[in-house]
Amino acid sequence: MRLIPMLASAAALGTAMPASAAGFADPAEIDRAVAQFAGAPTGSQGGARLPVDRRLKLSQCLAPLALEWYGRARDTVLVQCPVSGGWRLFVPIEAGPAAAARAEKAVTRGEVVSIAVHGRGFVLSRQGEALESGAVGDWIRVRPAGAKQDTVRVRILQPGKVGMELP
């Protein structure tokens, strides 16, 4: 019977496929996104405590992942697939001096800030006024200079500097 060895080799190939090829989210991609968001690699102070469990079978997300701090202590990152029926994952962060620095206010309401929008091969920058206070990594509303009613939602990159990346 040649069918049994053929089925066994097909099963072995199926388990050897990367998660993303099998229609699942790639845990390594989630780890990279958390490291970039937190500003520190996995296992170090300010980074994720541990890598995302490779046994998780999260559906592949067809939109860019949404990351934000969860809780006042800033010791957890909420990672979401922002599509209807998407998933969410809580990633604990290793506390340390970097976490304490992130919790400090980097922008205060009414402050003049530099807004930077990064895209493929270009950067646009402009001044604006912060409409909310926040720490590094927070998303806040900002009114670009000269715009009376228009506001944009941007992430605080460092004290006095906010921005976003375009896909």
Side-chain angles (χ1 to χ4, degrees):
M1 298 205 85
R2 291 184 180 174
L3 183 59
I4 293 174
M6 189 167 78
L7 288 175
S9 64
L13 285 175
T15 59
M17 283 194 312
S20 59
F24 297 110
D26 182 7
E29 182 180 327
I30 297 170
D31 288 337
R32 285 189 296 275
V34 170
Q36 182 179 10
F37 178 82
T42 301
S44 67
Q45 286 187 346
R49 287 185 193 160
L50 298 169
V52 172
D53 191 338
R54 300 309 194 238
R55 297 171 292 181
L56 286 175
K57 300 296 182 203
L58 303 170
S59 61
Q60 194 167 24
C61 191
L62 301 177
L65 296 176
L67 290 90
E68 62 185 74
W69 291 109
Y70 182 79
R72 290 190 171 265
R74 296 182 171 281
D75 59 355
T76 304
V77 173
L78 171 59
V79 182
Q80 298 183 78
C81 177
V83 298
S84 178
W87 46 264
R88 63 186 189 162
L89 181 66
F90 296 88
V91 179
I93 298 298
E94 188 67 45
R102 280 195 309 271
E104 297 174 14
K105 295 291 183 206
V107 171
T108 56
R109 182 180 176 167
E111 180 181 347
V112 174
V113 294
S114 175
I115 306 167
V117 178
H118 299 266
R120 252 186 217 161
F122 71 92
V123 176
L124 299 174
S125 61
R126 174 179 193 179
Q127 286 196 327
E129 176 189 357
L131 300 177
E132 300 172 322
S133 298
V136 172
D138 287 347
W139 287 84
I140 62 169
R141 290 179 308 120
V142 174
R143 178 181 297 126
K148 296 289 182 196
Q149 297 177 351
D150 294 334
T151 62
V152 293
R153 195 149 175 79
V154 292
R155 191 167 143 205
I156 300 174
L157 304 173
Q158 63 188 43
K161 186 175 181 182
V162 298
M164 69 175 76
E165 279 195 37
L166 299 177

